Amino acid sequence: MVDVIALDTSASLADWISAIGQAAGAVGTVAAVVVALFLPGWQRAKIRPIVTLEFDRTSEDIAVHENPPWASVWIRLRATNRPGRETARKVRVIVSKVEPEDGFVMPESTLSLRELSWSEVRTGELDLPAGMQRRVDVAHVDKKRAEKKDLVSPWPDLGMGLAGWPQRYDGRDYLGEGAFRITLTVAGENLDASEWEIRISFKKVGLSNKSSLARIRDAIEVSDPVLISKETSLRRRRWLADG
């Protein structure tokens, strides 16, 4: 007679159900951890400030100012914080590189790596609320400066200079004439840095200190700013922090 051994299938099924439940719980825990770790970062990224640069020749981006003892034309860019974002705090625009083109040479004494001045408010940094736009001075073309109470070094002639902050009066902002490729870094306390490139040209053929500012303005050419690099990745910032 053959003995029939009964298998305890109910116990096996219970074990399987228990195991599946534990696995599901573990997956749920992992999912919760992933959400806790990464969702806030994603949410922050959606409101993180993004500052862009623009230029419009038909506007006050290129402006004529007559303020004795100087007469000058100012070249400016408009910085805008994208709508729907946090306020961009302590925004700065910095000249990180100046390269002469078309055979022109930059004066050796020029101090080119400089922070630029925000227009009108005369400061090197400011807060930029969402959707807000502010102009930043990049360069200016001045008629020959006259020395004033030993505080100002006269420019050697009609020429272009960088609009650095703080404003210099020692002549080291002088570029003269020529075509220049300028790299600008936009940075701030709570935004990812970005690099932009513009080209500015001033050729004074037929011009002199007696020329009108309108004629001098017409001799200035400015390209639209082009974004050449940006640091937008939280992963990249962590990688830099970790070395």
Side-chain angles (χ1 to χ4, degrees):
M1 181 176 180
V2 179
D3 294 332
V4 178
I5 302 174
L7 296 176
D8 188 1
T9 56
S10 59
S12 299
L13 181 59
D15 291 342
W16 276 104
I17 292 174
S18 176
I20 292 172
Q22 291 175 1
V27 170
T29 300
V30 171
V33 171
V34 170
V35 169
L37 287 175
F38 295 102
L39 184 57
W42 174 78
Q43 290 175 326
R44 286 194 301 271
K46 289 205 65 169
I47 62 172
R48 191 173 179 81
I50 296 178
V51 177
T52 58
L53 298 180
E54 302 172 73
F55 175 78
D56 178 8
R57 188 179 181 87
T58 64
S59 72
E60 286 294 305
D61 291 356
I62 179 165
V64 172
H65 289 283
E66 189 123 23
N67 183 24
W70 303 302
S72 55
V73 180
W74 287 79
I75 301 155
R76 297 161 170 167
L77 297 178
R78 280 171 293 130
T80 305
N81 183 14
R82 185 175 294 180
R85 302 281 169 155
E86 291 180 322
T87 294
R89 295 191 297 272
K90 297 184 178 180
V91 183
R92 297 177 296 156
V93 182
I94 304 163
V95 176
S96 53
K97 185 184 295 184
V98 179
E99 297 177 284
E101 298 184 317
D102 301 336
F104 288 96
V105 178
M106 188 168 68
E108 292 183 1
S109 61
T110 300
L111 187 61
S112 58
L113 306 182
R114 300 197 55 201
E115 193 168 345
L116 295 177
S117 172
W118 291 96
S119 308
E120 286 86 35
V121 293
R122 296 301 179 198
T123 183
E125 63 181 34
L126 53 70
D127 293 347
L128 204 57
M132 177 66 75
Q133 189 174 87
R134 285 280 196 178
R135 286 186 173 93
V136 61
D137 297 331
V138 179
H140 50 103
V141 177
D142 289 17
K143 292 187 177 183
K144 184 177 180 179
R145 293 178 179 174
E147 191 166 356
K148 184 180 179 182
K149 297 182 180 179
D150 298 325
L151 298 177
V152 177
S153 297
W155 283 14
D157 200 355
L158 170 69
M160 181 168 66
L162 294 171
W165 177 261
Q167 189 170 359
R168 301 190 69 90
Y169 297 98
D170 58 4
R172 296 188 66 189
D173 51 351
Y174 187 72
L175 290 172
E177 71 167 325
F180 301 90
R181 184 168 70 250
I182 301 175
T183 304
L184 304 171
T185 299
V186 179
E189 188 177 79
N190 63 331
L191 66 146
D192 297 305
S194 59
E195 278 193 320
W196 300 74
E197 187 175 271
I198 63 168
R199 285 175 167 80
I200 299 178
S201 172
F202 172 63
K203 300 174 183 178
K204 55 187 181 183
V205 177
L207 298 175
S208 70
N209 282 299
K210 296 182 180 180
S211 300
S212 69
L213 291 179
R215 285 193 61 201
I216 293 171
R217 183 184 188 276
D218 290 340
I220 300 170
E221 296 181 2
V222 184
S223 70
D224 291 330
V226 176
L227 178 65
I228 57 175
S229 69
K230 59 182 177 179
E231 179 52 77
T232 59
S233 169
L234 180 62
R235 181 190 305 170
R236 169 71 174 170
R237 293 199 304 275
R238 286 174 174 168
W239 178 78
L240 289 173
D242 293 341

